[in-house]
Amino acid sequence: MTNLLHLEAQLIDNLSNYADELENKLLTVRGYVTEMRAASRKAQQDSVAHLSNPLNSFSLIRRMHEDWIHWQKYMKQPVGQQQVKYLNEQREQLPSSTDLQEAAEALYRIHVTYDLKISDMAKGLLNGRQYNVSLSALDSYALGKFLYDQQIFEDAGNWIYQAINWLQNKQNVLALPLQLDQAELLQVYAEALIKLKRYADAQKVLQTATTLKKDSFKLLIRKSEVETLIRTEPNAVPKLIKKRVGGKYEKGCRGQYAPATSSRLHCVYNSTNSAFLRLAPLKMELLQLDPYMVLYHDAISPREIEDLQFLAMPRLKRAKVVDQVTHRNMMVKERTSKVTWLGDATNAFTMRLNKRIEDMSGFTMYGSEMLQVMNYGLGGHYASHYDFLNATSKTRLNGDRIATVMFYLSDVEQGGATVFPKIQKAVFPQRGTAIIWYNLKENGDFDTNTIHAACPVIVGSKWVCNKWIRENEQMFRRPCLKQNSIRHTNHLIRIPTMYSIIFAYIVIAIILCPIKAQDEPIEESYSTSVSGMVNLLLLEAKLIENLNSYADELERKLNILKSVVPRLRAESDKAMTQMEDYVSNPLNAFSLMRRMHEDWTDWKIFMETPVGRSHATFINEHKAQLTSPTDLEEACEAIHLLQDVYNLTIGDMFKGLLNGTQYDTSLNALDSYVLGQHLHKHKNQHGASEWFAESSKWLMDHSLSTPIGADPVKMLHLFASALINYKQYSIALAILDHALLMGNKTDNLLNKRAEIEKLARVESEINPKPMNITPYSMGCRGQFAIQSSLYCKYKFKTSPFLRLAPLKKEVLNLDPFIVRYYDVLSPSEINELQELSRPLLKRNKAYGYGKYVVRKTRTSKGAWLERDLNNLTRRIERRVVDMTELSMQGSEAYNIMNYGLGGHYNVHFDYFDRTIDLEGAGNRIATVLFYLSDVEQGGATVFPNLKLAVNPERGMALFWYNLLDNGTGDTRTLHGGCPVLVGSKWAMTKWIHERAQLCTRPCLKTNF
């Protein structure tokens, strides 16, 4: 069992390593949660303002596309795979169910043989001595279950009662993976009471169990059945506890034999058996004359004992006995020890010991058996037996066993006596002594008075060495005086098996009930709308809280280990300092056997159980709502578009400097790396190189709070390898140098660095592509010449209502006619329009190739509100009539738009080609564009051909004609929506068709 102590110490270290790995994972998760929760809460204070910044929007889309998938994989990844593997590898060395059964039998044997109280045993009081050890609830319950299965209900109930008492003490706590179901414990206790016909007591126990498990149908039925038994068997007599009265064997083990009084028994120095003994006589004590039995003191020295044990230890195997029927060696419960055989000529010491046995016994060792060294463990014993072999095939050559020599190689603190029940003689182990007795009478017959047994060891480790001397070679040493031999009558009856082997396992099934998340609408696209990205921000907040719950679960698991490992290690350290003494105590030995069989299996399950399975499932359930590769591609294109249109430098953008304004945000290495990848894919090597360079700079001073950032050196190596693939050798070299400063400088890495340095020397410089400045870009940058408005005035003549509330009108261009109206929508009207449209927003499409399709030229989301949807839309339509003096008959529904990250609409015409079927309403004669929000930077409506740019202003409306007087399209109205640099642009368009304007604005066609 000392090997088990060594193994348990290794398993505790392995569990501690698992806890360290769990803690590292927890620190990684907690670091990210802390950082992201702060950022998320700050963003939610004004989500629109936050997402109005393109860097925030891009970073959010990239995180939601990449990072949360990595987190899902990280959460699914089992912790401590190496430690679990180690535990699996050691499973074969753990005690089996048979080992645990034998350990339980051993404690029961000690209990019965020495008449010990179960309550005393549980608290470490053994045979009147208190030891610094006790049994846990798990130990007591295991014993109770074993005895219950053996139908020893009285003792089973007592052990289970001890388990219940242990759990009721608040100072006693079981580690979570090892916790007992108290209701189940109470039910087993009640079942034992029922078997003893103690129905009233069983009913009380079951009542307590039902309060712990109120929803247990099984417990309620059993309680009802017991109540029925109380009513139907009112006179049932409980089975009384029988007082155990020990037989001769038990009395001998307990030291209750009367002391010998014969005057013929004495102590002498034996100096007559050999010439050597005249020089070194042996101390001999005569114990019994018939059968002849002597005890030698100091027959073997401490050094010789240690040599003998050293030889025996690696060879010890389970002891066997000769079956009286089959005459074969077999393992039985009546003999629980381990043995090994040492040949007489093994070494000089064994030859010397055999010579000493000759001197002690007066017999020759020729034909005798080898030395048998035995060690008795937990409750180790050998039930009553004879040493003679009863005429088996083993006696034909050398005869039967005439005598037995037994050396005691250790003291035994309690128990372990050799008892001879028939003659009521007990010999207690004393290190260095040896007992000799004759097994055969002088006539060669069996001496049945030599029936003997090895009492169970209570506390201690019992070592003995046996030598069985055969009779045939003793012809001249002890002649056989045969008269009426009863030998070979085969009259011996094999001792019946005392205990049967049945042991049951308790399997606790944990049913995980996954909670199905409510279905939520799936976004078609995110980057194209700030409003859509607000939902994404809210989803990320949920994912952060989910990740935090996962961290809580990791922490709970870690706290369990942090509380348990020190206790396990303290017990292990205590045991390792005095291994033999530790396992010689039956309570320690049993607890060790049970722990190694049950607890470490439970710890294996605990370590293998994935942490946060439900949290990983939560991410999986929301996977469809995360950003797609298309979203990320569009976000990258948007950032590049902003850079191109507004002539921004990559360095400024990376650190949050947009068009001369510094914002409280910036990109990280992952963001810029993805942007570099995107540009590399689209053959913009210069731009890619700049973004990669920004990644490199960031990595020199920061670490990523993501799974990839858990190991900074590994992270840098990954980045360097990726950049090498993109042939960015100089940047990769800088990152690799930084990694080498942080990590180990292995020959392999240094060689790799030398290769990259060579490539970096010949790396060609990448020149930027020449910029192509278009009138559209100039308008977006505000580079058109400032035009003074033609005139401003109040418009109040077109309707009676305008006389009371005239409109502020500014004429921007006469041909084509373009005017701007101020304050045409109130803040409350704008808010209502936005609330109506938000749930309806979908990716806007553009007309091309005969159909409406999603195109990169138009990146926004839109919703259509019917003209007569409610009072607000009807009121706005009346206002449009007042503004334009045109009929709304046949006009289109209101198209409300929200522009997201870099949201824009490339230059286009609002009118259609004449070949298109206009469903009888005619072409778009005019456009009314309402601005529903201010935009901090960008988002202007530009007319490149007219060198006119109009910046958004909340509540303002822009009106222009799309057709010439003859009904043909006016190409001068070519216009576009500039990319939104910072802000959330909301707009509403009303397209008015020509047919209804027949009397309002007649068509003056010349060639049509």
Side-chain angles (χ1 to χ4, degrees):
M1 277 193 287
T2 54
N3 290 336
L4 281 183
L5 284 175
H6 284 293
L7 176 58
E8 186 172 49
Q10 292 169 17
L11 292 175
I12 291 166
D13 288 339
N14 183 62
L15 191 64
S16 180
N17 293 338
Y18 172 81
D20 291 342
E21 197 164 319
L22 198 65
E23 189 164 26
N24 289 338
K25 190 165 190 172
L26 175 63
L27 290 172
T28 299
V29 175
R30 280 280 189 236
Y32 185 80
V33 167
T34 303
E35 180 184 322
M36 292 310 300
R37 183 186 266 166
S40 177
R41 286 174 178 170
K42 180 182 174 185
Q44 287 183 71
Q45 288 173 2
D46 190 344
S47 54
V48 172
H50 177 81
L51 292 169
S52 294
N53 189 298
L55 306 184
N56 289 330
S57 300
F58 173 77
S59 193
L60 173 65
I61 287 168
R62 188 205 55 75
R63 288 197 307 271
M64 297 299 278
H65 176 65
E66 290 185 342
D67 291 2
W68 287 106
I69 302 302
H70 289 310
W71 278 116
Q72 185 190 26
K73 290 176 183 174
Y74 188 68
M75 290 160 76
K76 282 183 176 179
Q77 197 175 49
V79 183
Q81 287 174 302
Q82 248 185 327
Q83 288 78 31
V84 173
K85 183 184 176 185
Y86 177 82
L87 199 51
N88 274 324
E89 288 168 353
Q90 303 303 319
R91 283 197 76 181
E92 288 185 6
Q93 297 182 53
L94 300 183
S96 64
S97 56
T98 304
D99 289 317
L100 186 58
Q101 288 175 44
E102 289 181 344
E105 285 174 349
L107 271 192
Y108 181 65
R109 187 184 308 121
I110 291 170
H111 160 61
V112 172
T113 303
Y114 297 99
D115 194 25
L116 306 181
K117 288 183 181 178
I118 286 173
S119 58
D120 288 345
M121 292 182 73
K123 62 188 179 187
L125 183 61
L126 300 176
N127 212 20
R129 292 192 199 178
Q130 180 64 56
Y131 292 90
N132 185 25
V133 63
S134 61
L135 296 181
S136 70
L138 290 168
D139 299 327
S140 298
Y141 185 50
L143 286 162
K145 280 291 290 177
F146 168 75
L147 294 172
Y148 184 90
D149 292 338
Q150 297 293 320
Q151 299 186 14
I152 307 171
F153 300 116
E154 177 191 325
D155 291 328
N158 284 335
W159 277 115
I160 295 169
Y161 182 72
Q162 296 305 316
I164 294 167
N165 274 350
W166 191 94
L167 289 171
Q168 286 174 347
N169 186 338
K170 292 183 179 178
Q171 292 181 341
N172 297 325
V173 180
L174 289 173
L176 185 64
L178 312 177
Q179 282 185 355
L180 286 169
D181 185 333
Q182 289 195 49
E184 184 180 342
L185 192 64
L186 289 166
Q187 186 178 2
V188 177
Y189 181 46
E191 294 298 333
L193 294 172
I194 292 165
K195 296 291 184 182
L196 296 170
K197 296 193 175 182
R198 292 170 58 184
Y199 301 136
D201 291 335
Q203 192 267 343
K204 290 176 185 176
V205 172
L206 287 170
Q207 179 63 43
T208 305
T210 54
T211 59
L212 293 173
K213 250 188 188 177
K214 295 178 182 178
D215 57 347
S216 174
F217 191 55
K218 180 181 172 184
L219 277 174
L220 291 170
I221 289 176
R222 193 60 177 140
K223 178 172 168 284
S224 176
E225 289 171 349
V226 173
E227 288 167 349
T228 303
L229 285 172
I230 293 171
R231 289 195 301 273
T232 56
E233 298 182 33
N235 299 320
V237 179
K239 293 181 181 179
L240 298 175
I241 298 173
K242 296 178 183 177
K243 183 170 177 61
R244 289 190 174 92
V245 179
K248 290 181 180 178
Y249 163 72
E250 285 79 13
K251 284 183 179 178
C253 292
R254 297 171 194 172
Q256 294 174 351
Y257 288 156
T261 56
S262 174
S263 60
R264 297 180 64 190
L265 303 179
H266 56 276
C267 296
V268 297
Y269 280 101
N270 185 345
S271 60
T272 59
N273 282 4
S274 72
F276 177 76
L277 292 187
R278 291 175 187 171
L279 298 172
L282 292 166
K283 302 170 188 173
M284 186 180 84
E285 179 182 353
L286 185 62
L287 299 178
Q288 187 79 18
L289 290 172
D290 186 20
Y292 182 72
M293 188 182 299
V294 294
L295 182 70
Y296 283 96
H297 294 268
D298 302 323
I300 184 169
S301 71
R303 176 63 184 274
E304 289 173 326
I305 288 171
E306 288 170 8
D307 289 346
L308 205 54
Q309 289 174 330
F310 180 78
L311 283 171
M313 274 180 184
R315 307 177 187 181
L316 289 174
K317 290 185 178 179
R318 178 66 187 267
K320 299 179 180 180
V321 299
V322 178
D323 186 90
Q324 297 295 326
V325 179
T326 64
H327 304 305
R328 291 181 180 177
N329 286 332
M330 59 184 293
M331 284 192 294
V332 292
K333 296 176 190 175
E334 290 85 355
R335 187 182 192 189
T336 55
S337 61
K338 285 191 172 182
V339 304
T340 190
W341 297 86
L342 300 177
D344 292 354
T346 299
N347 58 24
F349 164 62
T350 57
M351 289 190 284
R352 189 169 69 247
L353 189 60
N354 275 286
K355 180 58 185 165
R356 192 174 306 158
I357 294 169
E358 273 195 15
D359 293 344
M360 291 160 60
S361 66
F363 291 127
T364 178
M365 295 299 103
Y366 290 115
S368 296
E369 297 177 39
M370 293 187 291
L371 293 166
Q372 186 194 57
V373 182
M374 284 188 294
N375 180 233
Y376 291 84
L378 167 59
H381 79 126
Y382 193 173
S384 296
H385 64 285
Y386 301 99
D387 276 1
F388 50 76
L389 298 171
N390 198 10
T392 67
S393 60
K394 295 181 181 290
T395 66
R396 288 173 190 163
L397 182 62
N398 296 313
D400 215 324
R401 292 170 171 170
I402 191 171
T404 298
V405 181
M406 181 188 292
F407 290 90
Y408 293 106
L409 307 182
S410 65
D411 296 318
V412 178
E413 191 172 337
Q414 288 202 70
T418 306
V419 296
F420 298 81
K422 275 196 174 182
I423 60 173
Q424 296 200 29
K425 182 67 67 179
V427 180
F428 285 87
Q430 186 179 340
R431 194 179 193 215
T433 59
I435 183 173
I436 300 176
W437 70 87
Y438 292 157
N439 297 305
L440 304 180
K441 295 180 179 179
E442 288 182 345
N443 63 359
D445 285 341
F446 309 130
D447 192 339
T448 55
N449 284 331
T450 62
I451 189 168
H452 62 286
C455 294
V457 175
I458 303 179
V459 179
S461 176
K462 179 181 174 183
W463 283 87
V464 297
C465 174
N466 290 326
K467 181 75 173 182
W468 286 293
I469 305 169
R470 294 299 185 94
E471 63 178 326
N472 285 359
E473 295 296 333
Q474 316 309 328
M475 181 183 297
F476 301 107
R477 305 278 181 119
R478 187 176 187 250
C480 182
L481 304 173
K482 292 189 180 179
Q483 292 177 352
N484 296 316
S485 176
I486 57 170
R487 191 173 182 181
H488 310 320
T489 56
N490 204 17
H491 65 285
L492 298 180
I493 301 172
R494 186 165 175 252
I495 299 167
T497 302
M498 295 172 63
Y499 314 105
S500 59
I501 303 174
I502 307 171
F503 196 82
Y505 287 103
I506 303 167
V507 179
I508 302 172
I510 302 171
I511 302 170
L512 298 174
C513 303
I515 302 170
K516 187 178 179 183
Q518 286 186 328
D519 292 335
E520 296 182 21
I522 298 172
E523 274 286 0
E524 293 175 339
S525 169
Y526 284 105
S527 66
T528 51
S529 162
V530 169
S531 180
M533 284 191 288
V534 169
N535 294 333
L536 205 56
L537 199 62
L538 295 173
L539 175 58
E540 187 177 47
K542 290 180 186 175
L543 293 174
I544 291 168
E545 291 312 310
N546 176 64
L547 189 61
N548 188 56
S549 298
Y550 170 76
D552 290 342
E553 197 168 322
L554 279 175
E555 192 164 20
R556 279 193 292 274
K557 197 165 187 174
L558 179 62
N559 287 339
I560 290 165
L561 292 169
K562 280 188 171 179
S563 66
V564 169
V565 169
R567 296 206 304 267
L568 292 176
R569 185 164 273 155
E571 183 69 15
S572 176
D573 291 345
K574 171 187 162 187
M576 293 294 284
T577 56
Q578 43 184 356
M579 288 190 287
E580 286 235 359
D581 289 344
Y582 182 87
V583 295
S584 68
N585 187 299
L587 305 184
N588 284 331
F590 174 76
S591 190
L592 173 65
M593 295 288 286
R594 188 204 57 73
R595 288 198 308 269
M596 297 298 281
H597 176 65
E598 289 185 343
D599 291 3
W600 286 106
T601 302
D602 290 336
W603 280 119
K604 176 180 171 292
I605 294 167
F606 177 80
M607 290 161 74
E608 284 180 331
T609 303
V611 183
R613 185 179 292 167
S614 61
H615 303 106
T617 302
F618 179 87
I619 295 179
N620 203 46
E621 287 169 351
H622 290 79
K623 212 169 182 178
Q625 294 170 256
L626 300 181
T627 50
S628 65
T630 303
D631 286 312
L632 188 59
E633 178 77 7
E634 288 181 342
C636 289
E637 287 171 352
I639 292 290
H640 181 56
L641 179 69
L642 291 173
Q643 180 204 348
D644 188 43
V645 170
Y646 294 104
N647 194 26
L648 308 177
T649 67
I650 286 174
D652 286 347
M653 291 187 77
F654 182 83
K655 60 189 178 186
L657 184 61
L658 301 176
N659 217 16
T661 303
Q662 180 63 56
Y663 292 90
D664 184 24
T665 186
S666 62
L667 299 178
N668 66 24
L670 289 173
D671 298 328
S672 56
Y673 177 74
V674 168
L675 287 162
Q677 272 185 318
H678 170 77
L679 293 182
H680 184 276
K681 176 182 170 183
H682 292 279
K683 311 299 182 187
N684 186 342
Q685 303 304 331
H686 183 266
S689 183
E690 284 194 70
W691 281 117
F692 287 143
E694 294 301 331
S695 282
S696 173
K697 291 177 198 171
W698 192 93
L699 288 168
M700 302 296 181
D701 302 316
H702 303 83
S703 60
L704 290 167
S705 300
T706 59
I708 193 177
D711 184 344
V713 175
K714 186 178 179 182
M715 175 193 69
L716 291 168
H717 282 208
L718 286 172
F719 267 97
S721 299
L723 290 169
I724 291 164
N725 290 335
Y726 290 122
K727 297 182 179 180
Q728 303 285 332
Y729 303 122
S730 299
I731 302 170
L733 185 63
I735 292 176
L736 195 59
D737 282 341
H738 193 64
L740 286 169
L741 287 173
M742 296 173 66
N744 295 326
K745 296 180 181 180
T746 62
D747 290 341
N748 186 35
L749 281 174
L750 291 171
N751 291 335
K752 187 176 181 181
R753 188 206 174 280
E755 290 174 17
I756 298 167
E757 190 175 22
K758 287 179 187 176
L759 293 168
R761 285 198 200 107
V762 296
E763 185 178 359
S764 57
E765 188 177 341
I766 304 169
N767 295 315
K769 291 181 180 178
M771 293 183 65
N772 181 24
I773 302 174
T774 63
Y776 169 71
S777 299
M778 291 177 66
C780 292
R781 295 175 194 174
Q783 292 176 348
F784 288 156
I786 298 173
Q787 296 179 356
S788 58
S789 56
L790 299 179
Y791 58 88
C792 296
K793 66 174 185 176
Y794 282 100
K795 184 171 185 175
F796 55 87
K797 292 183 179 179
T798 52
S799 72
F801 178 76
L802 290 186
R803 292 176 186 171
L804 299 173
L807 293 168
K808 300 173 188 173
K809 173 182 174 182
E810 179 183 4
V811 178
L812 299 177
N813 205 73
L814 288 174
D815 189 19
F817 187 64
I818 303 175
V819 295
R820 173 164 48 189
Y821 289 96
Y822 291 91
D823 302 324
V824 290
L825 290 176
S826 69
S828 61
E829 288 175 325
I830 289 171
N831 291 339
E832 188 176 346
L833 287 170
Q834 288 174 338
E835 289 305 312
L836 284 170
S837 61
R838 270 195 183 95
L840 305 173
L841 289 174
K842 288 186 179 180
R843 177 67 187 266
N844 270 326
K845 298 178 181 180
Y847 193 83
Y849 306 105
K851 59 181 179 180
Y852 285 96
V853 292
V854 172
R855 302 178 75 175
K856 294 179 182 179
T857 55
R858 189 182 191 190
T859 56
S860 63
K861 284 189 174 181
W864 295 88
L865 299 182
E866 294 301 324
R867 294 160 50 199
D868 58 350
L869 177 67
N870 58 20
N871 288 334
L872 173 63
T873 57
R874 287 190 285 271
R875 190 167 65 247
I876 291 173
E877 183 159 298
R878 179 64 243 173
R879 200 170 302 157
V880 172
V881 170
D882 291 344
M883 290 160 57
T884 64
E885 302 176 34
L886 297 174
S887 170
M888 294 299 107
Q889 186 178 347
S891 63
E892 298 178 38
Y894 296 99
N895 182 215
I896 298 182
M897 294 168 288
N898 181 230
Y899 291 82
L901 169 59
H904 72 294
Y905 195 172
N906 272 6
V907 290
H908 61 284
F909 300 107
D910 278 0
Y911 58 81
F912 294 108
D913 191 291
R914 278 290 175 185
T915 59
I916 299 170
D917 181 10
L918 300 174
E919 299 180 354
N923 213 334
R924 290 173 173 172
I925 190 173
T927 297
V928 180
L929 176 61
F930 293 91
Y931 295 106
L932 308 183
S933 66
D934 296 320
V935 178
E936 190 173 338
Q937 288 200 69
T941 305
V942 296
F943 296 82
N945 295 336
L946 301 174
K947 299 290 189 290
L948 176 66
V950 180
N951 289 315
E953 189 177 325
R954 196 178 191 217
M956 187 175 75
L958 198 63
F959 167 67
W960 69 87
Y961 286 112
N962 296 305
L963 304 179
L964 296 168
D965 287 345
N966 62 3
T968 58
D970 191 338
T971 57
R972 294 170 298 174
T973 61
L974 180 75
H975 63 284
C978 292
V980 175
L981 182 55
V982 179
S984 176
K985 179 182 175 181
W986 284 85
M988 180 173 74
T989 304
K990 178 73 172 178
W991 286 294
I992 305 167
H993 286 256
E994 62 180 327
R995 292 286 159 81
Q997 317 311 326
L998 188 59
C999 302
T1000 310
R1001 188 173 186 266
C1003 182
L1004 304 174
K1005 294 184 182 179
T1006 53
N1007 297 311
F1008 186 70

